Amino acid sequence: MSDEKDHRIKVLRTESRVRGMMLGLAIGDTLGAARGKLPTSGALRAGVSTQLACFTAEGVIRAMVRGSHKGICHPPSVVLHAYCRWAVMQGIEVDRMRRRWAAAKGDEAWPDGWLADVPVLGERRGSAPATVAALSRIEDPYDRIATPSLGCHALTRTLPVAVAGTGWARQAGEFAALTHGDSAAQSAAAQAAVLVHHCLTTPQEHDSSDHSDRALREALEMGIAALPSLGERATADEHGRLLAAFQHAVDQPAQAPLLIRLAPDATAPSALLGGIYTAASFPGRTQLRAALEFATSAPDGDSVACVTGALVGAVHGFEALPVDLVSRHELAWVLDTLARDMLSQIVDSPSGSEYVAGWDSYWWDRYPGW
């Protein structure tokens, strides 16, 4: 096999896994909200975690664009701006949002960027009370608007950060801190970003089903082992709980009472522990649907299934996701586009940089760097 063909295959596999992660979190979010009982026909509704994850992905791209063109960037501020675009589309504190952001655009339209033109992102799809409460104080200094919340949205909405690499793991905690002041929620978000990144990047040099089945557990094991390097974002107690959840899945897989004990509520740590336990309980490529259905049995099934879908989709790729569910999801195209665009921005910056012309003259309009 030629080097060029090897490179092309690697690119396609990476793309598949990023798409699988984005679509997997959305399918899990939707299935969990329905407690596993989806309608037999019609579009499948996106959850609020999925909506916010879309804006995280867009915010990450826009932060990278700004860094390329301006030389400096504060990613949490750019991602906060993304959440504000979601808020104004939802009708949340519209006047405050416009005072905070529209003035900087002058006579240009705000909210800007292509994601603001997706109608479904403006429809209510569940509640995100801590996020909304924080954004409602948007005219205060950005580092003072967070609530004391430990809620799961701090983690579920930041999962796409994993695509940008381990260097962004600390940023995931800072993105969570924009609205959720509890340090455990911030830690869980950073830890999840590292684990999903390992799931996206663990080698799969063989196509055998046996190797594919081992890959997910290997990725989680390596990711958990890497967490102490995050310093304050992974305390010894937190690291021990993650190790225990993984080992429980190996020794006692798919035990509903154990899942309930590990993930008893709608907090970020519960979502992470439940997602690790569920994903490692069902590591096989053909077990993805079973994993998501089991995750929905957690007390807060949508957050656990959201994390589970991201982990398993990141390892096995979008081809392993249930076609009947992906094809009906109302944000499938949006998620797929964001997945591809994140990779495009990381690999070759379509809008160029301050000194180098880009190859896509419309990229800045799609992802303005602010």
Side-chain angles (χ1 to χ4, degrees):
M1 190 179 295
S2 68
D3 290 344
E4 183 178 350
K5 187 171 183 179
D6 282 344
H7 175 71
R8 180 59 179 162
I9 290 172
K10 183 179 179 180
V11 169
L12 289 173
R13 284 178 173 169
T14 298
E15 182 180 274
S16 171
R17 294 165 81 168
V18 174
R19 295 166 68 191
M21 183 274 293
M22 291 290 287
L23 291 164
L25 73 84
I27 294 299
D29 188 23
T30 295
L31 194 63
R35 306 300 292 179
K37 301 184 183 300
L38 297 172
T40 57
S41 61
L44 299 180
R45 291 162 60 97
V48 66
S49 287
T50 301
Q51 290 182 329
L52 288 166
C54 287
F55 280 94
T56 299
E58 188 216 29
V60 168
I61 296 171
R62 289 172 64 147
M64 290 180 176
V65 169
R66 178 175 179 80
S68 295
H69 286 267
K70 305 296 184 181
I72 57 172
C73 181
H74 183 243
S77 296
V78 181
V79 172
L80 177 62
H81 182 198
Y83 297 148
C84 289
R85 292 191 295 277
W86 168 79
V88 79
M89 291 175 68
Q90 296 273 317
I92 297 167
E93 298 291 351
V94 174
D95 291 340
R96 288 187 181 183
M97 294 295 170
R98 292 197 177 280
R99 283 197 300 268
R100 173 64 179 82
W101 299 104
K105 291 288 289 181
D107 294 331
E108 297 181 54
W110 185 87
D112 54 4
W114 74 272
L115 214 57
D117 292 328
V118 178
V120 170
L121 294 174
E123 297 183 14
R124 294 294 174 93
R125 290 291 188 264
S127 62
T131 300
V132 170
L135 295 179
S136 296
R137 297 196 289 270
I138 193 57
E139 292 179 306
D140 294 341
Y142 89 94
D143 57 351
R144 299 180 187 174
I145 65 175
T147 72
S149 176
L150 182 60
C152 62
H153 293 124
L155 184 155
T156 55
R157 73 169 194 240
T158 56
L159 291 168
V161 176
V163 179
T166 54
W168 283 70
R170 189 178 300 275
Q171 298 283 345
E174 292 180 18
F175 296 165
L178 292 169
T179 57
H180 291 65
D182 193 289
S183 61
Q186 298 162 22
S187 293
Q191 293 156 16
V194 172
L195 296 184
V196 174
H197 177 71
H198 276 269
C199 286
L200 286 168
T201 57
T202 186
Q204 291 202 41
E205 298 177 358
H206 307 289
D207 293 327
S208 67
S209 60
D210 180 59
H211 182 273
S212 178
D213 289 358
R214 295 197 309 270
L216 195 148
R217 284 183 175 175
E218 290 174 356
L220 288 175
E221 193 168 24
M222 288 189 295
I224 293 171
L227 286 174
S229 65
L230 289 175
E232 74 275 11
R233 290 296 186 199
T235 67
D237 286 345
E238 290 166 349
H239 193 236
R241 286 192 288 271
L242 298 179
L243 282 170
F246 176 79
Q247 195 59 48
H248 282 317
V250 175
D251 297 336
Q252 305 174 65
Q255 300 296 311
L258 190 47
L259 174 62
I260 293 170
R261 179 160 64 85
L262 289 168
D265 50 36
T267 62
S270 282
L272 180 56
L273 292 173
I276 290 171
Y277 177 72
T278 303
S281 291
F282 298 88
R285 179 183 175 89
T286 61
Q287 295 178 294
L288 197 149
R289 185 188 290 267
L292 294 177
E293 290 176 349
F294 177 75
T296 67
S297 65
D300 190 57
D302 43 350
S303 63
V304 173
C306 182
V307 176
T308 300
L311 293 170
V312 296
V315 170
H316 297 306
F318 82 94
E319 299 92 342
L321 295 169
V323 173
D324 59 318
L325 301 185
V326 174
S327 62
R328 292 170 56 198
H329 199 280
E330 63 182 357
L331 284 178
W333 176 83
V334 171
L335 292 154
D336 207 42
T337 299
L338 286 167
R340 294 171 186 267
D341 286 356
M342 277 193 289
L343 282 175
S344 291
Q345 179 59 41
I346 292 167
V347 171
D348 59 7
S349 189
S351 64
S353 67
E354 185 178 4
Y355 303 107
V356 179
W359 56 266
D360 187 340
S361 59
Y362 300 102
W363 195 261
W364 181 277
D365 293 331
R366 286 167 55 77
Y367 299 105
W370 74 303

